[in-house]
Amino acid sequence: MNDTSSAMHFDGLLAAGIITPAQHLTALTHASAYELSGKPGLVDHLVWLIRRDIVDEDELLEAGERSAERCTPEDASRYNEAIDTALELCLNDAEKAGLAKLAGAGVITQDECRRALAAIKPDEMVLAGKGGLLSWMQEQGVIDAKRLRAIRKAVAADPKRAAALAQVNATISILIITEPSAARPWLGLGVVVLLAAGIAWLLLRPAAVPECTEGGTRRSIEQLFLGASLEHIDRMKPDQPIPTPKVEGLSEVGYASAARVRACKATVHLGGKETPYTFTIAPAPEGKKGFVMTGANAAILAARFGNIDGDGNFGNKAEPVGRAEVERAFRAGVDAGLSNYGAAPATPGFDVNSAVRRKFGLSYDAPERTREIAEVEPLAPCRAIDGGKAYSCRLLVERNDPVMAALGGESGTLLDAEFTFEREGAAGPWRTAAAFQTELAYAIAAARTKAVQQ
């Protein structure tokens, strides 16, 4: 980036603790940084950071509140005011896109569209009752009762206009949620990548773990997939239908009562395509309310929740190493050889942290998914080798592969292989054996080959 004002703004945000060093570097080197040329305002830069998925709204609010610890009171106030303004500007994307589509379809005039956009207040859900967007426009004084009747009469006589209005109202109605102050997701088009990466959503629910088939679960999935099409609404032709997701086949894969984690699966129909979606529902971490809904690999979920023991624990225990130890040792072994296998960068291409905590008041992510190894699941007891001095354990491993991402494919790959572990001394902790790096190399190669062939 050669824009001095942009570098200055990003440097200031870094110094104030509002963005991290990794986010600072991403902003400075982002391929779309040219969009900030001629936009010297701090608010412009904050909006760009949000819409480019470099920062997320919850992080921004929390960092703004902490800025007083690192800034003068005047600077802290300036940053917080700019953050509030940027969040307001990013809030009503769906309604704005819907109004633009109505203007493009001739349902309302361009002037009415501009006045309606100006009437949208921060944190407001514009769709009110059965009357939808047009009734809201009358309530706001954008149009009067006579004009409303004229619009409805013209819509009734024109199937294309009627379809556009119905679809915009339906789209926005999906986005109405329980908390008025919550915002909406802006997920871009990488839905499949995001699902593979694992997407965590905060579900504001009572203490009982929600069932897979409950309405809030279905709604969250719809919101997730709907986000993929929102940014293109205003560029669609007036008679082109807005893709809306339909969730079918919601069912339970299994329930680990000891951990209070439920695994579910569904099929999402969107834009003529069917996408399988598997996920877990679990209590939010300490200090947060409700539950988190996290996207997960289907094969790992099937293995993990298809073998729950009588006490409600995961049955694949990788004896005698144990579930926790085999994962800890595996991750340590991978970390020791990262440079040999095209290690995942500090910020993966799909950047889960910025993809997850979108609006909707959903503010929990899965930190382990930003690492090279997202999940490790043993499939059976480990097999003794070398006279019992070492053990070979078959594992399913979900790995974020930067090489596949660089080639334009899905970055998530699934390793299915046996890996060797041994103890340090007679009773020390477990570690990967000397053969581990070779085993890992073969497993990564096999996973890449399979991914290319699919």
Side-chain angles (χ1 to χ4, degrees):
M1 173 185 290
N2 297 319
D3 192 316
T4 304
S5 66
S6 290
M8 179 185 68
H9 281 310
F10 293 142
D11 290 348
L13 292 169
L14 174 64
I18 293 174
I19 62 175
T20 66
Q23 290 167 336
H24 178 259
L25 179 61
T26 300
L28 291 176
T29 58
H30 200 283
S32 299
Y34 68 89
E35 295 172 344
L36 291 169
S37 178
K39 296 182 179 180
L42 176 59
V43 171
D44 293 323
H45 287 70
L46 288 168
V47 169
W48 181 84
L49 287 169
I50 294 169
R51 289 181 173 167
R52 287 297 167 189
D53 294 338
I54 296 173
V55 300
D56 90 19
E57 291 87 339
D58 287 339
E59 283 182 327
L60 207 54
L61 280 172
E62 293 171 5
E65 293 170 358
R66 296 194 304 268
S67 63
E69 302 171 5
R70 305 180 64 168
C71 301
T72 65
E74 293 78 12
D75 282 343
S77 176
R78 178 171 63 89
Y79 280 125
N80 277 285
E81 183 178 346
I83 288 171
D84 289 342
T85 302
L87 293 176
E88 290 173 5
L89 290 172
C90 292
L91 180 62
N92 296 291
D93 294 313
E95 289 92 341
K96 292 176 181 178
L99 286 166
K101 181 171 177 63
L102 292 185
V107 176
I108 59 176
T109 67
Q110 291 293 340
D111 180 63
E112 288 167 342
C113 178
R114 284 191 293 270
R115 287 188 283 122
L117 290 173
I120 298 177
K121 298 180 179 64
D123 302 331
E124 182 178 20
M125 301 296 177
V126 305
L127 188 62
K130 295 181 179 179
L133 202 52
L134 295 178
S135 293
W136 173 84
M137 290 175 64
Q138 183 188 12
E139 291 169 6
Q140 298 299 314
V142 177
I143 57 177
D144 58 21
K146 182 178 179 181
R147 173 59 178 155
L148 177 61
R149 287 194 295 272
I151 292 174
R152 286 178 170 164
K153 183 177 180 181
V155 167
D158 187 339
K160 290 184 178 180
R161 293 183 187 183
L165 178 60
Q167 290 165 9
V168 167
N169 279 342
T171 299
I172 298 175
S173 69
I174 292 177
L175 296 170
I176 295 179
I177 55 178
T178 56
E179 295 211 334
S181 62
R184 298 168 183 76
W186 196 260
L187 299 177
L189 294 178
V191 171
V192 176
V193 174
L194 290 175
L195 296 182
I199 300 180
W201 296 80
L202 180 64
L203 303 176
L204 302 177
R205 294 299 306 271
V209 179
E211 298 286 340
C212 298
T213 55
E214 289 193 13
T217 304
R218 183 184 301 275
R219 193 179 195 81
S220 293
I221 299 173
E222 289 175 344
Q223 291 161 353
L224 166 64
F225 278 80
L226 182 63
S229 59
L230 286 183
E231 72 175 289
H232 291 283
I233 292 178
D234 58 345
R235 284 182 274 172
M236 296 172 66
K237 296 179 181 178
D239 59 344
Q240 186 176 355
I242 299 172
T244 53
K246 182 179 181 182
V247 179
E248 294 184 343
L250 266 171
S251 61
E252 183 176 290
V253 177
Y255 179 56
S257 57
R260 297 181 64 219
V261 180
R262 194 183 307 280
C264 311
K265 63 181 180 180
T267 300
V268 182
H269 300 263
L270 179 62
K273 296 182 179 180
E274 290 187 2
T275 302
Y277 182 45
T278 49
F279 58 97
T280 60
I281 305 174
E286 187 175 354
K288 295 182 180 288
K289 297 179 181 179
F291 294 84
V292 289
M293 178 174 155
T294 307
N297 180 279
I300 288 181
L301 276 198
R304 183 173 296 168
F305 288 85
N307 188 17
I308 304 297
D309 65 23
D311 296 323
N313 292 302
F314 299 120
N316 298 326
K317 294 182 171 59
E319 302 92 335
V321 182
R323 289 181 61 85
E325 272 294 282
V326 82
E327 178 169 356
R328 182 201 59 76
F330 182 91
R331 289 185 182 277
V334 171
D335 290 343
L338 285 181
S339 61
N340 296 324
Y341 309 113
T347 302
F350 50 79
D351 193 355
V352 177
N353 279 334
S354 64
V356 169
R357 296 180 318 190
R358 267 314 161 272
K359 301 171 180 180
F360 287 108
L362 311 176
S363 59
Y364 177 71
D365 60 2
E368 70 278 5
R369 290 187 170 276
T370 66
R371 301 166 59 180
E372 180 177 5
I373 302 303
E375 294 279 4
V376 177
E377 180 64 24
L379 294 180
C382 299
R383 177 172 52 86
I385 57 177
D386 192 17
K389 296 178 181 179
Y391 285 84
S392 179
C393 307
R394 186 183 171 198
L395 307 177
L396 279 183
V397 179
E398 185 182 359
R399 178 176 182 266
N400 298 320
D401 191 328
V403 173
M404 296 302 298
L407 294 174
E410 296 290 344
S411 60
T413 57
L414 187 67
L415 315 185
D416 182 351
E418 292 196 358
F419 300 93
T420 307
F421 300 86
E422 62 187 11
R423 277 195 184 276
E424 294 183 15
W430 291 90
R431 65 187 178 190
T432 54
F436 177 79
Q437 298 301 334
T438 300
E439 294 165 345
L440 181 60
Y442 276 112
I444 290 174
R448 286 173 177 170
T449 299
K450 185 175 181 180
V452 170
Q453 292 174 345
Q454 287 180 338

PDB file of all heavy atoms in Angstrom, residues 430-445:
ATOM      1  N   TRP A 430       3.422 -38.912  26.376  1.00  0.00           N
ATOM      2  CA  TRP A 430       3.514 -39.507  25.054  1.00  0.00           C
ATOM      3  C   TRP A 430       4.056 -38.486  24.052  1.00  0.00           C
ATOM      4  O   TRP A 430       3.853 -37.277  24.182  1.00  0.00           O
ATOM      5  CB  TRP A 430       2.147 -40.006  24.590  1.00  0.00           C
ATOM      6  CG  TRP A 430       1.668 -41.183  25.370  1.00  0.00           C
ATOM      7  CD1 TRP A 430       0.923 -41.173  26.509  1.00  0.00           C
ATOM      8  CD2 TRP A 430       1.922 -42.551  25.075  1.00  0.00           C
ATOM      9  NE1 TRP A 430       0.687 -42.447  26.953  1.00  0.00           N
ATOM     10  CE2 TRP A 430       1.283 -43.325  26.088  1.00  0.00           C
ATOM     11  CE3 TRP A 430       2.612 -43.220  24.072  1.00  0.00           C
ATOM     12  CZ2 TRP A 430       1.325 -44.709  26.112  1.00  0.00           C
ATOM     13  CZ3 TRP A 430       2.640 -44.603  24.093  1.00  0.00           C
ATOM     14  CH2 TRP A 430       2.011 -45.340  25.101  1.00  0.00           C
ATOM     15  N   ARG A 431       4.742 -38.989  23.031  1.00  0.00           N
ATOM     16  CA  ARG A 431       5.269 -38.150  21.975  1.00  0.00           C
ATOM     17  C   ARG A 431       5.215 -38.923  20.665  1.00  0.00           C
ATOM     18  O   ARG A 431       5.058 -40.148  20.663  1.00  0.00           O
ATOM     19  CB  ARG A 431       6.703 -37.734  22.275  1.00  0.00           C
ATOM     20  CG  ARG A 431       7.677 -38.910  22.284  1.00  0.00           C
ATOM     21  CD  ARG A 431       9.051 -38.489  22.737  1.00  0.00           C
ATOM     22  NE  ARG A 431       9.979 -39.635  22.780  1.00  0.00           N
ATOM     23  CZ  ARG A 431      11.186 -39.583  23.330  1.00  0.00           C
ATOM     24  NH1 ARG A 431      11.609 -38.468  23.898  1.00  0.00           N
ATOM     25  NH2 ARG A 431      11.964 -40.664  23.312  1.00  0.00           N
ATOM     26  N   THR A 432       5.343 -38.211  19.563  1.00  0.00           N
ATOM     27  CA  THR A 432       5.386 -38.896  18.275  1.00  0.00           C
ATOM     28  C   THR A 432       6.743 -39.580  18.105  1.00  0.00           C
ATOM     29  O   THR A 432       7.773 -39.069  18.558  1.00  0.00           O
ATOM     30  CB  THR A 432       5.174 -37.897  17.129  1.00  0.00           C
ATOM     31  OG1 THR A 432       6.112 -36.828  17.255  1.00  0.00           O
ATOM     32  CG2 THR A 432       3.768 -37.343  17.143  1.00  0.00           C
ATOM     33  N   ALA A 433       6.735 -40.725  17.467  1.00  0.00           N
ATOM     34  CA  ALA A 433       7.970 -41.487  17.262  1.00  0.00           C
ATOM     35  C   ALA A 433       8.712 -40.966  16.033  1.00  0.00           C
ATOM     36  O   ALA A 433       8.225 -40.106  15.290  1.00  0.00           O
ATOM     37  CB  ALA A 433       7.646 -42.970  17.107  1.00  0.00           C
ATOM     38  N   ALA A 434       9.919 -41.522  15.793  1.00  0.00           N
ATOM     39  CA  ALA A 434      10.761 -41.075  14.687  1.00  0.00           C
ATOM     40  C   ALA A 434      10.076 -41.243  13.332  1.00  0.00           C
ATOM     41  O   ALA A 434      10.322 -40.480  12.396  1.00  0.00           O
ATOM     42  CB  ALA A 434      12.083 -41.836  14.718  1.00  0.00           C
ATOM     43  N   ALA A 435       9.184 -42.247  13.235  1.00  0.00           N
ATOM     44  CA  ALA A 435       8.504 -42.500  11.954  1.00  0.00           C
ATOM     45  C   ALA A 435       7.391 -41.504  11.666  1.00  0.00           C
ATOM     46  O   ALA A 435       6.836 -41.491  10.566  1.00  0.00           O
ATOM     47  CB  ALA A 435       7.929 -43.916  11.965  1.00  0.00           C
ATOM     48  N   PHE A 436       7.063 -40.660  12.639  1.00  0.00           N
ATOM     49  CA  PHE A 436       5.882 -39.795  12.505  1.00  0.00           C
ATOM     50  C   PHE A 436       5.965 -38.867  11.305  1.00  0.00           C
ATOM     51  O   PHE A 436       4.976 -38.706  10.569  1.00  0.00           O
ATOM     52  CB  PHE A 436       5.696 -38.976  13.791  1.00  0.00           C
ATOM     53  CG  PHE A 436       4.542 -38.008  13.723  1.00  0.00           C
ATOM     54  CD1 PHE A 436       3.244 -38.442  13.899  1.00  0.00           C
ATOM     55  CD2 PHE A 436       4.766 -36.663  13.472  1.00  0.00           C
ATOM     56  CE1 PHE A 436       2.175 -37.551  13.836  1.00  0.00           C
ATOM     57  CE2 PHE A 436       3.722 -35.767  13.402  1.00  0.00           C
ATOM     58  CZ  PHE A 436       2.417 -36.214  13.583  1.00  0.00           C
ATOM     59  N   GLN A 437       7.108 -38.224  11.089  1.00  0.00           N
ATOM     60  CA  GLN A 437       7.192 -37.244  10.006  1.00  0.00           C
ATOM     61  C   GLN A 437       6.988 -37.902   8.640  1.00  0.00           C
ATOM     62  O   GLN A 437       6.349 -37.320   7.756  1.00  0.00           O
ATOM     63  CB  GLN A 437       8.538 -36.514  10.064  1.00  0.00           C
ATOM     64  CG  GLN A 437       8.760 -35.718  11.341  1.00  0.00           C
ATOM     65  CD  GLN A 437       7.693 -34.657  11.570  1.00  0.00           C
ATOM     66  OE1 GLN A 437       7.082 -34.174  10.621  1.00  0.00           O
ATOM     67  NE2 GLN A 437       7.461 -34.305  12.818  1.00  0.00           N
ATOM     68  N   THR A 438       7.502 -39.113   8.478  1.00  0.00           N
ATOM     69  CA  THR A 438       7.277 -39.838   7.223  1.00  0.00           C
ATOM     70  C   THR A 438       5.806 -40.209   7.085  1.00  0.00           C
ATOM     71  O   THR A 438       5.211 -40.082   5.998  1.00  0.00           O
ATOM     72  CB  THR A 438       8.145 -41.109   7.182  1.00  0.00           C
ATOM     73  OG1 THR A 438       9.519 -40.738   7.281  1.00  0.00           O
ATOM     74  CG2 THR A 438       7.916 -41.884   5.891  1.00  0.00           C
ATOM     75  N   GLU A 439       5.208 -40.681   8.182  1.00  0.00           N
ATOM     76  CA  GLU A 439       3.783 -41.028   8.166  1.00  0.00           C
ATOM     77  C   GLU A 439       2.943 -39.809   7.809  1.00  0.00           C
ATOM     78  O   GLU A 439       1.984 -39.906   7.021  1.00  0.00           O
ATOM     79  CB  GLU A 439       3.377 -41.569   9.535  1.00  0.00           C
ATOM     80  CG  GLU A 439       4.046 -42.889   9.894  1.00  0.00           C
ATOM     81  CD  GLU A 439       3.931 -43.220  11.375  1.00  0.00           C
ATOM     82  OE1 GLU A 439       3.599 -42.312  12.172  1.00  0.00           O
ATOM     83  OE2 GLU A 439       4.170 -44.384  11.741  1.00  0.00           O
ATOM     84  N   LEU A 440       3.286 -38.669   8.374  1.00  0.00           N
ATOM     85  CA  LEU A 440       2.530 -37.447   8.111  1.00  0.00           C
ATOM     86  C   LEU A 440       2.671 -37.028   6.651  1.00  0.00           C
ATOM     87  O   LEU A 440       1.689 -36.633   6.008  1.00  0.00           O
ATOM     88  CB  LEU A 440       3.012 -36.329   9.040  1.00  0.00           C
ATOM     89  CG  LEU A 440       2.306 -34.975   8.910  1.00  0.00           C
ATOM     90  CD1 LEU A 440       0.819 -35.111   9.204  1.00  0.00           C
ATOM     91  CD2 LEU A 440       2.941 -33.948   9.847  1.00  0.00           C
ATOM     92  N   ALA A 441       3.869 -37.131   6.120  1.00  0.00           N
ATOM     93  CA  ALA A 441       4.103 -36.749   4.723  1.00  0.00           C
ATOM     94  C   ALA A 441       3.265 -37.607   3.780  1.00  0.00           C
ATOM     95  O   ALA A 441       2.656 -37.095   2.823  1.00  0.00           O
ATOM     96  CB  ALA A 441       5.587 -36.876   4.390  1.00  0.00           C
ATOM     97  N   TYR A 442       3.227 -38.909   4.021  1.00  0.00           N
ATOM     98  CA  TYR A 442       2.430 -39.807   3.179  1.00  0.00           C
ATOM     99  C   TYR A 442       0.935 -39.493   3.319  1.00  0.00           C
ATOM    100  O   TYR A 442       0.184 -39.511   2.334  1.00  0.00           O
ATOM    101  CB  TYR A 442       2.694 -41.265   3.547  1.00  0.00           C
ATOM    102  CG  TYR A 442       3.917 -41.844   2.882  1.00  0.00           C
ATOM    103  CD1 TYR A 442       5.050 -42.189   3.625  1.00  0.00           C
ATOM    104  CD2 TYR A 442       3.960 -42.058   1.503  1.00  0.00           C
ATOM    105  CE1 TYR A 442       6.177 -42.722   3.014  1.00  0.00           C
ATOM    106  CE2 TYR A 442       5.082 -42.584   0.881  1.00  0.00           C
ATOM    107  CZ  TYR A 442       6.196 -42.912   1.646  1.00  0.00           C
ATOM    108  OH  TYR A 442       7.305 -43.426   1.035  1.00  0.00           O
ATOM    109  N   ALA A 443       0.488 -39.214   4.550  1.00  0.00           N
ATOM    110  CA  ALA A 443      -0.931 -38.925   4.776  1.00  0.00           C
ATOM    111  C   ALA A 443      -1.348 -37.637   4.082  1.00  0.00           C
ATOM    112  O   ALA A 443      -2.433 -37.549   3.484  1.00  0.00           O
ATOM    113  CB  ALA A 443      -1.196 -38.820   6.280  1.00  0.00           C
ATOM    114  N   ILE A 444      -0.492 -36.611   4.131  1.00  0.00           N
ATOM    115  CA  ILE A 444      -0.795 -35.344   3.466  1.00  0.00           C
ATOM    116  C   ILE A 444      -0.839 -35.539   1.950  1.00  0.00           C
ATOM    117  O   ILE A 444      -1.747 -35.033   1.271  1.00  0.00           O
ATOM    118  CB  ILE A 444       0.244 -34.280   3.855  1.00  0.00           C
ATOM    119  CG1 ILE A 444       0.058 -33.877   5.321  1.00  0.00           C
ATOM    120  CG2 ILE A 444       0.131 -33.047   2.956  1.00  0.00           C
ATOM    121  CD1 ILE A 444       1.138 -32.940   5.849  1.00  0.00           C
ATOM    122  N   ALA A 445       0.108 -36.281   1.416  1.00  0.00           N
ATOM    123  CA  ALA A 445       0.119 -36.538  -0.036  1.00  0.00           C
ATOM    124  C   ALA A 445      -1.115 -37.275  -0.476  1.00  0.00           C
ATOM    125  O   ALA A 445      -1.729 -36.964  -1.508  1.00  0.00           O
ATOM    126  CB  ALA A 445       1.375 -37.315  -0.407  1.00  0.00           C
TER     127      ALA A 445
END
